[in-house]
Amino acid sequence: MAGGSAIRGSRVGAGPLGEEERGESAPRQMVQYYCARGHVTAPSFAMGDEGEAPEIPLEWDCPKCGFPAGLDAENPPEPIRNEPFKTHLAYVKERRSEEEGEALLAEALDGLRSRRVTVAD
């Protein structure tokens, strides 16, 4: 078994590997986004070929809390409000008034009672 260095194919003072193959990195612009909880996120965007400014989104999701973050530190966007789960009965009550519900219930009970009488006879 040969003993040796954990770094193979390199010599002392060689410098970082692969820099020449990758080339220069693109110029970048950092933009700060602010969420309602006070977090600051600063993603960087690559500049265009001729130094033109990148297309920057107006909102960015905060990686810490998930709320939307905006460009204005004084007025961050409001968090999205999720409506609570509604039951079937809640949807029915939205569509029907109390009087309509009473009329439908009476009609259904009459139908059940008439079937019960005919079956029992």
Side-chain angles (χ1 to χ4, degrees):
M1 198 188 286
S5 172
I7 303 174
R8 296 177 187 252
S10 180
R11 60 180 170 66
V12 175
L17 297 175
E19 279 295 319
E20 293 173 6
E21 290 119 22
R22 279 187 265 159
E24 295 180 21
S25 60
R28 305 188 81 53
Q29 176 184 1
M30 291 190 72
V31 179
Q32 290 189 338
Y33 290 92
Y34 307 91
C35 77
R37 289 196 176 162
H39 300 133
V40 179
T41 305
S44 62
F45 298 94
M47 301 290 278
D49 292 335
E50 286 134 27
E52 66 221 27
E55 192 173 314
I56 297 172
L58 297 176
E59 286 190 1
W60 195 263
D61 289 338
C62 178
K64 294 180 182 169
C65 64
F67 283 179
L71 297 170
D72 187 5
E74 300 299 320
N75 298 313
E78 291 295 321
I80 298 169
R81 300 186 80 188
N82 291 332
E83 289 192 26
F85 175 76
K86 288 185 182 178
T87 63
H88 176 70
L89 181 60
Y91 283 110
V92 170
K93 286 183 177 181
E94 285 180 2
R95 289 193 312 256
R96 307 247 187 240
S97 68
E98 196 72 32
E99 294 80 27
E100 290 175 321
E102 292 292 330
L104 286 173
L105 179 61
E107 182 181 329
L109 288 174
D110 288 341
L112 285 173
R113 288 182 184 125
S114 66
R115 279 188 285 184
R116 182 178 288 170
V117 171
T118 58
V119 173
D121 289 336

